[in-house]
Coordinates of all heavy atoms in Angstrom, one line a residue:
L218 N 151.4 91.1 144.6 CA 152.4 92.1 145.2 C 153.3 92.4 144.0 O 153.7 91.4 143.3 CB 153.1 91.2 146.3 CG 154.3 91.9 146.9 CD1 154.0 93.2 147.8 CD2 155.2 91.1 147.8
V219 N 153.5 93.6 144.0 CA 154.5 94.1 142.9 C 155.7 94.8 143.7 O 155.4 95.6 144.6 CB 153.9 95.0 141.8 CG1 154.9 95.6 140.9 CG2 152.7 94.3 141.2
L220 N 156.9 94.4 143.3 CA 158.1 94.9 143.9 C 159.1 95.5 142.8 O 159.1 95.0 141.6 CB 158.9 93.9 144.7 CG 158.3 93.1 145.8 CD1 159.1 92.0 146.4 CD2 157.9 94.2 147.0
L221 N 159.7 96.6 143.2 CA 160.8 97.1 142.4 C 162.1 96.3 142.7 O 162.5 96.5 143.8 CB 160.9 98.7 142.5 CG 161.9 99.3 141.7 CD1 161.6 99.1 140.2 CD2 162.1 100.7 142.2
R222 N 162.5 95.5 141.7 CA 163.8 94.8 142.1 C 164.9 95.3 141.2 O 164.8 95.9 140.1 CB 163.6 93.3 141.5 CG 162.3 92.6 142.1 CD 162.5 92.4 143.6 NE 163.5 91.6 143.9 CZ 163.6 90.6 144.9 NH1 162.6 90.5 145.5 NH2 164.7 90.0 145.0
E223 N 166.1 95.1 141.7 CA 167.4 95.6 141.0 C 168.1 94.5 140.6 O 168.3 93.4 141.4 CB 168.2 96.4 142.0 CG 169.3 97.2 141.3 CD 170.0 98.2 142.3 OE1 169.3 98.8 143.1 OE2 171.2 98.4 142.0
D224 N 168.6 94.4 139.4 CA 169.3 93.3 138.8 C 170.9 93.5 139.2 O 171.3 94.5 139.7 CB 169.1 93.1 137.3 CG 169.6 94.3 136.4 OD1 170.4 95.1 136.8 OD2 169.0 94.2 135.4
A225 N 171.8 92.6 138.8 CA 173.2 92.5 138.9 C 174.0 93.8 138.5 O 174.8 94.2 139.1 CB 173.8 91.3 138.4
V226 N 173.4 94.5 137.4 CA 174.1 95.6 136.9 C 173.4 97.0 137.4 O 173.8 98.0 136.8 CB 174.2 95.6 135.3 CG1 175.1 94.4 134.9 CG2 173.0 95.4 134.8
G227 N 172.6 96.8 138.3 CA 171.9 98.1 138.8 C 170.6 98.4 138.1 O 170.0 99.5 138.4
G228 N 170.1 97.7 137.1 CA 168.8 98.1 136.4 C 167.7 97.7 137.3 O 167.7 96.8 138.1
K229 N 166.7 98.5 137.1 CA 165.5 98.3 138.1 C 164.3 97.9 137.2 O 164.1 98.3 136.0 CB 165.2 99.6 138.8 CG 166.2 99.9 139.8 CD 165.9 101.1 140.5 CE 167.1 101.4 141.5 NZ 167.0 102.6 142.1
R230 N 163.5 96.9 137.7 CA 162.3 96.6 136.9 C 161.2 96.1 138.1 O 161.6 95.7 139.1 CB 162.6 95.5 135.9 CG 163.1 94.2 136.6 CD 163.5 93.1 135.5 NE 163.7 91.8 136.1 CZ 163.5 90.7 135.5 NH1 163.0 90.7 134.2 NH2 163.5 89.6 136.0
L231 N 159.9 96.2 137.5 CA 158.8 95.7 138.4 C 158.8 94.1 138.2 O 158.7 93.6 137.1 CB 157.6 96.5 138.0 CG 157.6 97.9 138.2 CD1 156.2 98.5 137.7 CD2 157.6 98.2 139.8
V232 N 158.5 93.5 139.3 CA 158.2 92.0 139.4 C 157.0 91.9 140.1 O 156.8 92.4 141.3 CB 159.4 91.3 139.9 CG1 159.0 89.8 139.9 CG2 160.7 91.5 139.1
A233 N 156.0 91.2 139.5 CA 154.7 90.8 140.1 C 154.7 89.5 140.6 O 155.2 88.5 139.9 CB 153.6 91.0 139.2
Y234 N 154.3 89.2 141.9 CA 154.1 87.9 142.5 C 152.6 87.8 142.8 O 152.0 88.7 143.3 CB 154.9 87.8 143.8 CG 156.4 88.0 143.7 CD1 156.9 89.4 143.7 CD2 157.1 87.0 143.6 CE1 158.3 89.5 143.5 CE2 158.5 87.1 143.4 CZ 159.1 88.3 143.4 OH 160.5 88.4 143.3
A235 N 152.1 86.8 142.2 CA 150.6 86.7 142.1 C 150.1 85.2 142.6 O 150.7 84.2 142.0 CB 150.0 87.0 140.8
A236 N 149.2 85.0 143.5 CA 148.6 83.8 143.8 C 147.4 83.8 143.0 O 146.5 84.6 142.9 CB 148.2 83.8 145.2
T237 N 147.4 82.8 142.0 CA 146.4 82.7 140.9 C 145.6 81.4 141.0 O 146.0 80.4 141.6 CB 146.9 82.9 139.5 OG1 147.9 81.8 139.3 CG2 147.8 84.2 139.4
E238 N 144.5 81.3 140.1 CA 143.8 80.2 140.0 C 144.7 79.3 139.0 O 145.5 79.7 138.3 CB 142.5 80.3 139.2 CG 141.7 81.3 140.0 CD 141.1 80.8 141.4 OE1 140.9 79.5 141.4 OE2 140.9 81.5 142.4
D239 N 144.3 78.0 139.0 CA 145.1 77.0 138.1 C 145.0 77.4 136.7 O 143.9 77.9 136.2 CB 144.6 75.7 138.3 CG 144.9 75.0 139.7 OD1 145.9 75.5 140.1 OD2 144.3 74.1 140.1
G240 N 146.0 77.2 135.9 CA 145.9 77.4 134.4 C 146.1 78.9 134.0 O 146.0 79.2 132.9
V241 N 146.3 79.8 134.9 CA 146.6 81.3 134.5 C 147.9 81.3 133.9 O 149.0 80.8 134.4 CB 146.5 82.1 135.8 CG1 147.0 83.5 135.4 CG2 145.0 82.1 136.2
V242 N 148.1 82.1 132.9 CA 149.4 82.3 132.2 C 149.7 83.8 132.4 O 149.0 84.7 132.1 CB 149.2 82.1 130.6 CG1 150.5 82.3 129.8 CG2 148.7 80.6 130.4
A243 N 151.0 83.8 132.7 CA 151.6 85.2 133.0 C 151.4 86.2 131.9 O 151.1 87.4 132.2 CB 153.1 85.1 133.5
A244 N 151.6 85.8 130.7 CA 151.5 86.7 129.6 C 150.1 87.3 129.5 O 149.9 88.3 129.0 CB 151.9 85.9 128.2
D245 N 149.1 86.5 129.8 CA 147.7 86.8 129.8 C 147.4 87.9 130.8 O 146.7 89.0 130.5 CB 146.6 85.8 130.0 CG 146.6 84.7 128.9 OD1 147.2 85.0 127.9 OD2 146.1 83.6 129.2
L246 N 148.0 87.9 132.0 CA 147.9 89.0 133.0 C 148.6 90.1 132.6 O 148.0 91.2 132.8 CB 148.5 88.4 134.4 CG 147.8 87.2 134.9 CD1 148.6 86.8 136.2 CD2 146.3 87.6 135.3
Q247 N 149.8 90.0 132.0 CA 150.5 91.2 131.6 C 149.7 91.9 130.5 O 149.6 93.2 130.4 CB 151.9 90.8 131.1 CG 152.8 91.9 130.7 CD 154.2 91.4 130.4 OE1 154.4 90.5 129.7 NE2 155.3 92.1 130.9
E248 N 149.1 91.1 129.6 CA 148.4 91.8 128.5 C 147.1 92.5 129.1 O 146.8 93.6 128.6 CB 147.9 90.7 127.4 CG 147.2 91.3 126.3 CD 148.0 92.4 125.5 OE1 149.2 92.3 125.4 OE2 147.3 93.4 125.0
A249 N 146.4 92.0 130.0 CA 145.3 92.6 130.7 C 145.7 93.9 131.3 O 144.9 94.9 131.2 CB 144.6 91.6 131.7
L250 N 146.9 94.0 132.0 CA 147.3 95.2 132.6 C 147.7 96.2 131.7 O 147.5 97.5 131.9 CB 148.5 94.8 133.5 CG 148.2 94.0 134.8 CD1 149.5 93.7 135.5 CD2 147.3 94.8 135.7
R251 N 148.4 95.8 130.4 CA 148.7 96.7 129.4 C 147.3 97.5 128.9 O 147.5 98.6 128.5 CB 149.4 96.0 128.3 CG 150.8 95.6 128.5 CD 151.4 95.2 127.3 NE 152.7 94.4 127.6 CZ 153.9 95.0 128.0 NH1 153.8 96.3 128.1 NH2 154.9 94.3 128.3
R252 N 146.2 96.9 128.9 CA 145.1 97.5 128.5 C 144.5 98.6 129.4 O 143.7 99.5 129.0 CB 143.9 96.5 128.2 CG 144.3 95.6 127.0 CD 142.9 94.8 126.7 NE 142.6 93.8 127.7 CZ 142.9 92.6 127.8 NH1 143.8 92.1 127.0 NH2 142.6 91.8 128.7
T253 N 145.0 98.6 130.7 CA 144.4 99.5 131.7 C 145.4 100.3 132.4 O 145.0 101.4 132.9 CB 143.6 98.7 132.7 OG1 144.6 97.8 133.4 CG2 142.5 97.9 132.1
L254 N 146.8 100.0 132.2 CA 147.8 100.8 133.0 C 148.8 101.3 131.8 O 148.9 100.9 130.8 CB 148.6 100.0 133.9 CG 147.8 99.3 135.1 CD1 148.7 98.3 135.8 CD2 147.3 100.4 136.0
P255 N 149.3 102.6 132.4 CA 150.6 103.1 131.6 C 151.6 102.0 131.5 O 151.7 101.2 132.4 CB 151.0 104.3 132.2 CG 149.9 104.6 133.3 CD 149.1 103.3 133.5
D256 N 152.4 102.1 130.4 CA 153.5 101.1 130.2 C 154.4 101.0 131.5 O 154.8 99.9 131.9 CB 154.3 101.3 129.0 CG 153.6 100.9 127.8 OD1 152.6 100.1 127.8 OD2 153.9 101.4 126.7
Y257 N 154.7 102.0 132.0 CA 155.8 102.2 133.2 C 155.2 101.5 134.4 O 156.0 101.2 135.3 CB 156.3 103.5 133.4 CG 155.1 104.4 134.1 CD1 155.2 104.4 135.5 CD2 154.3 105.3 133.5 CE1 154.1 105.3 136.1 CE2 153.4 106.0 133.9 CZ 153.3 106.0 135.3 OH 152.4 106.8 136.0
M258 N 153.9 101.2 134.5 CA 153.4 100.5 135.6 C 153.1 99.0 135.5 O 152.6 98.4 136.4 CB 152.0 101.2 135.8 CG 152.2 102.6 136.5 SD 150.5 103.5 136.8 CE 150.2 102.7 138.3
V259 N 153.3 98.6 134.2 CA 153.1 97.1 134.0 C 154.3 96.4 134.4 O 155.4 96.6 133.9 CB 152.8 96.9 132.4 CG1 152.6 95.4 132.2 CG2 151.6 97.7 132.1
P260 N 154.3 95.3 135.3 CA 155.4 94.6 135.6 C 156.2 94.0 134.5 O 155.5 93.6 133.5 CB 154.9 93.5 136.6 CG 153.6 94.1 137.1 CD 153.0 95.0 135.9
D261 N 157.5 93.9 134.5 CA 158.3 93.2 133.4 C 158.3 91.7 133.6 O 158.5 91.0 132.5 CB 159.7 93.8 133.6 CG 159.9 95.3 133.4 OD1 159.4 95.8 132.3 OD2 160.3 96.0 134.3
A262 N 158.1 91.3 134.9 CA 158.2 89.8 135.0 C 157.0 89.4 136.0 O 156.6 90.3 136.8 CB 159.5 89.5 135.6
F263 N 156.5 88.2 135.9 CA 155.5 87.6 136.8 C 156.0 86.4 137.4 O 156.6 85.6 136.7 CB 154.3 87.5 136.0 CG 153.4 88.7 135.7 CD1 154.0 89.4 134.6 CD2 152.4 89.1 136.4 CE1 153.3 90.7 134.3 CE2 151.8 90.2 136.1 CZ 152.2 91.0 135.0
V264 N 155.7 86.2 138.7 CA 156.1 84.9 139.3 C 154.7 84.4 139.8 O 154.0 85.2 140.6 CB 157.0 85.1 140.6 CG1 157.2 83.8 141.3 CG2 158.3 85.7 140.1
L265 N 154.2 83.3 139.2 CA 152.9 82.8 139.7 C 153.0 81.8 140.7 O 153.9 80.9 140.7 CB 152.1 82.2 138.5 CG 152.0 83.1 137.3 CD1 151.3 82.3 136.2 CD2 151.3 84.4 137.6
L266 N 152.3 81.9 141.9 CA 152.3 81.1 143.0 C 151.0 80.5 143.2 O 149.9 81.1 142.9 CB 152.5 82.0 144.3 CG 153.7 83.0 144.1 CD1 153.7 84.0 145.2 CD2 155.0 82.2 144.1
E267 N 151.0 79.3 144.0 CA 149.7 78.7 144.3 C 149.0 79.4 145.5 O 147.8 79.6 145.5 CB 149.9 77.2 144.8 CG 150.3 76.3 143.7 CD 150.6 74.8 144.2 OE1 149.9 74.5 145.3 OE2 151.3 74.1 143.8
R268 N 149.8 79.9 146.3 CA 149.3 80.7 147.4 C 150.3 81.8 147.9 O 151.5 81.7 147.6 CB 148.7 80.0 148.6 CG 149.8 79.2 149.1 CD 149.2 78.4 150.3 NE 150.0 78.7 151.5 CZ 150.4 77.8 152.5 NH1 150.0 76.6 152.3 NH2 151.2 78.1 153.4
A269 N 149.8 83.0 148.4 CA 150.7 84.0 148.9 C 151.3 83.7 150.1 O 150.8 83.1 151.0 CB 149.9 85.3 149.1
R270 N 152.6 84.0 150.2 CA 153.4 83.9 151.5 C 153.0 85.2 152.3 O 153.1 86.3 151.8 CB 154.8 83.8 151.3 CG 155.3 82.5 150.7 CD 156.8 82.4 150.5 NE 157.4 83.2 151.6 CZ 158.8 83.4 151.7 NH1 159.5 83.1 150.6 NH2 159.3 84.0 152.6
Q271 N 152.8 85.0 153.7 CA 152.7 86.1 154.6 C 153.8 86.3 155.2 O 154.5 85.4 155.8 CB 151.4 85.8 155.4 CG 150.1 85.6 154.8 CD 149.6 86.7 153.9 OE1 149.8 87.8 154.3 NE2 149.2 86.5 152.8
G272 N 154.3 87.6 155.3 CA 155.4 87.9 156.1 C 155.6 89.3 156.4 O 154.8 90.2 155.9
E273 N 156.4 89.6 157.3 CA 156.7 90.9 157.8 C 157.2 91.8 156.6 O 158.0 91.3 155.8 CB 157.8 91.1 158.9 CG 157.9 92.4 159.4 CD 158.8 92.3 160.7 OE1 158.8 91.4 161.4 OE2 159.5 93.4 160.9

Side-chain angles (χ1 to χ4, degrees):
L218 170 72
V219 177
L220 297 175
L221 181 62
R222 305 294 299 219
E223 190 170 328
D224 62 23
V226 294
K229 294 180 181 170
R230 64 189 195 144
L231 292 176
V232 178
Y234 298 86
T237 63
E238 300 295 328
D239 290 338
V241 174
V242 177
D245 292 343
L246 294 177
Q247 189 174 41
E248 182 58 35
L250 290 174
R251 285 190 196 286
R252 289 191 297 267
T253 60
L254 295 173
D256 285 341
Y257 72 91
M258 293 180 73
V259 177
D261 300 300
F263 287 76
V264 178
L265 302 182
L266 310 165
E267 287 184 28
R268 58 178 233 224
R270 287 182 40 190
Q271 300 299 317
E273 189 175 324

